Amino acid sequence: MNTIAVVYWLPDIIRKEVNTLTEPAIQYRLIKKEKHTGARLGEIITPHGTFQTPMFMPVGTLATVKTMSPEELDEMGAQIILSNTYHLWLRPGSDLVEEAGGLHKFMNWDKGILTDSGGFQVFSLSENRKITEEGVHFRNHLNGSKMFLSPEKAIHIENQLGADIIMSFDECPPYSESYDYIKASVERTTRWAERGLKAHKKPNEQGLFGIIQGAGYKDLRLQSAKELISLDFPGYSIGGLSVGETKEEMNGVLDYLTPVMPENKPRYLMGVGAPDSLIDGVIRGIDMFDCVLPTRIARNGTCMTSGGRLVIKNAKYERDFRPLDEKCDCYTCRNYTRAYIRHLFKADETFGLRLTTYHNLHFLINLMKNVRQAIMDDNLLEFREAFVEEYGFNKENAPKF
């Protein structure tokens, strides 16, 4: 009797377990394409739930979204959060996280988790680094000790951390590097991606994404995409954007890149969180975004509101007893005033940071919810026009994040 017949005649409960073992960890279901743009309404199916796209993912670098509890993230509608392989490798250590039962149990988060490979941190935090074909030699940014990270080591660490979605180890060169340098980098990143794919020990538990690089060079971006698509990753990320290039340049890359990416795989634009850029990315077919922007500016007292940027520490809010955003129904806006939150910041009370962080994350998560509805209604371009006009992007005092 052949293998298929054996599986067919197994009892239902056992057959279900066999199917689970053979299915990829990450699957994408396309629900609808918007009539007038490349926007996609879909779902990402993960070991920890099925999540709606397009989505914004809060960043929890060290297994925590700064100042927020998992319960608060769940309450505001966060679906997947991002943690950082490099930082968790250094502390508390991937061995410890694995011993604790993986990131989900360690941080008490039962929804989706994505970990990056650590490549961006290696290239951005370490001034003294040496790139070889084998990997990267660099110094620990905390204590200066010598370290080495290869594609195999990065995947091993991510396997230990146990996130639902994990990233290939890639080089993240500056956008302004020369053509020859970027070409060599792209080719090395492809070789590293293939090595990481071979080293991946949990393909039925963790979905490994390839990362498309190439800076602003169209032929190199398309080369990177073609080579990685041939390796048949469960999903694809676009790296090396939002690193100093203009928004027009970033949108231009997406205009020619997303049409060649597989329709049956999720598309993830790394490190993008400005509200207008989220909408522009969705228009061009992106499904997933992450960025530290909303939490970082919140800790400085800057809030995203439907009327644009609001800096709560400004004196004009001292006796302003309205919510941060009168059109927002988040926990912060339902319960606290601008005057009170300004007082907390002036008094160096951490509760103020928590309130502004909650609001900013809710703002972007709710924005994406509204974007999904606009795709369903086939009016995303009209939605964008109304949003940017109200937010102030078309005015001389447009917010600069």
Side-chain angles (χ1 to χ4, degrees):
M1 185 178 291
N2 62 36
T3 303
I4 295 176
V6 170
V7 174
Y8 178 81
W9 288 108
L10 285 173
D12 286 345
I13 186 169
I14 298 177
R15 182 160 10 100
K16 185 179 294 185
E17 291 178 1
V18 172
N19 289 339
T20 300
L21 291 174
T22 58
E23 290 179 354
I26 300 299
Q27 299 175 59
Y28 175 77
R29 185 170 79 92
L30 177 62
I31 296 173
K32 178 183 181 350
K33 292 188 72 173
E34 212 251 2
K35 286 183 178 179
H36 311 293
T37 70
R40 297 152 32 111
L41 190 67
E43 292 179 338
I44 294 178
I45 302 162
T46 82
H48 285 86
T50 298
F51 307 112
Q52 297 177 312
T53 62
M55 69 162 72
F56 176 80
M57 303 178 290
V59 176
T61 300
L62 284 160
T64 180
V65 177
K66 290 188 185 299
T67 77
M68 292 287 99
S69 71
E71 292 77 15
E72 289 168 322
L73 293 169
D74 185 40
E75 179 184 65
M76 70 178 66
Q79 302 182 90
I80 298 177
I81 63 173
L82 182 145
S83 289
N84 184 269
T85 296
Y86 170 82
H87 288 287
L88 291 172
W89 177 36
L90 298 188
R91 54 182 180 182
S94 54
D95 291 344
L96 186 150
V97 174
E98 184 179 41
E99 185 180 342
L103 270 178
H104 292 89
K105 289 186 177 179
F106 188 54
M107 64 183 295
N108 190 33
W109 175 254
D110 62 0
K111 293 189 175 183
I113 299 178
L114 182 154
T115 48
D116 60 13
S117 67
F120 180 80
Q121 284 69 35
V122 168
F123 290 99
S124 63
L125 295 178
S126 180
E127 295 181 359
N128 299 316
R129 61 180 178 271
K130 180 180 179 182
I131 306 170
T132 68
E133 185 62 27
E134 185 61 24
V136 185
H137 298 267
F138 63 100
R139 290 191 178 274
N140 182 328
H141 77 285
L142 296 175
N143 59 23
S145 62
K146 293 181 179 180
M147 305 193 74
F148 174 74
L149 195 59
S150 67
E152 292 82 3
K153 179 64 175 178
I155 296 299
H156 173 69
I157 296 168
E158 292 190 272
N159 284 164
Q160 288 184 306
L161 296 176
D164 303 276
I165 302 173
I166 64 178
M167 296 294 119
S168 299
F169 184 66
D170 64 328
E171 183 184 356
C172 308
Y175 192 84
S176 58
E177 277 286 2
S178 70
Y179 180 90
D180 289 343
Y181 185 95
I182 298 296
K183 181 174 175 59
S185 174
V186 162
E187 292 170 353
R188 181 169 48 243
T189 288
T190 297
R191 294 191 295 271
W192 284 359
E194 189 168 10
R195 285 167 52 188
L197 196 58
K198 292 177 180 177
H200 186 21
K201 302 300 183 185
K202 301 179 179 180
N204 302 118
E205 300 174 35
Q206 299 175 284
L208 174 61
F209 282 27
I211 304 178
I212 299 169
Q213 292 286 357
Y217 301 104
K218 181 176 181 179
D219 62 326
L220 297 182
R221 282 282 181 184
L222 294 176
Q223 174 187 331
S224 180
K226 180 181 179 180
E227 292 172 350
L228 293 175
I229 290 168
S230 72
L231 297 175
D232 195 26
F233 285 92
Y236 292 92
S237 306
I238 301 172
L241 292 177
S242 193
V243 289
E245 81 284 359
T246 67
K247 292 187 178 184
E248 290 75 17
E249 288 174 319
M250 179 171 69
N251 288 339
V253 172
L254 298 180
D255 281 335
Y256 63 72
L257 192 54
T258 53
V260 305
M261 298 173 71
E263 281 212 338
N264 64 336
K265 306 284 181 75
R267 304 165 179 172
Y268 166 31
L269 179 55
M270 308 176 77
V272 171
D276 62 329
S277 292
L278 296 183
I279 302 174
D280 287 345
V282 170
I283 287 172
R284 291 162 175 82
I286 298 297
D287 307 303
M288 305 162 62
F289 304 84
D290 83 282
C291 194
V292 298
L293 174 69
T295 50
R296 179 173 291 169
I297 65 172
R299 296 192 300 275
N300 293 323
T302 299
C303 305
M304 299 174 173
T305 76
S306 58
R309 184 179 62 168
L310 184 154
V311 181
I312 196 61
K313 291 188 285 188
N314 288 349
K316 63 181 177 180
Y317 301 119
E318 182 179 10
R319 285 180 169 80
D320 191 335
F321 302 110
R322 295 174 294 168
L324 289 175
D325 186 347
E326 293 178 292
K327 295 183 179 180
C328 179
D329 65 351
C330 78
Y331 169 79
T332 299
C333 291
R334 291 197 316 268
N335 293 283
Y336 301 99
T337 66
R338 298 176 182 182
Y340 177 66
I341 297 170
R342 179 181 184 276
H343 155 69
L344 294 176
F345 269 88
K346 300 302 285 187
D348 291 326
E349 290 288 345
T350 55
F351 188 43
L353 281 63
R354 282 176 34 78
L355 292 177
T356 52
T357 299
Y358 190 111
H359 170 80
N360 279 357
L361 289 174
H362 178 277
F363 182 86
L364 290 187
I365 290 169
N366 190 63
L367 171 63
M368 300 308 281
K369 179 180 177 182
N370 292 334
V371 164
R372 292 195 294 269
Q373 186 60 53
I375 296 173
M376 183 63 73
D377 297 337
D378 289 314
N379 66 353
L380 184 56
L381 293 177
E382 293 84 348
F383 175 87
R384 183 194 185 280
E385 183 178 0
F387 176 83
V388 298
E389 179 62 30
E390 184 174 18
Y391 201 88
F393 281 111
N394 292 336
K395 301 175 183 177
E396 290 184 3
N397 62 342
K400 293 179 175 59
F401 293 114

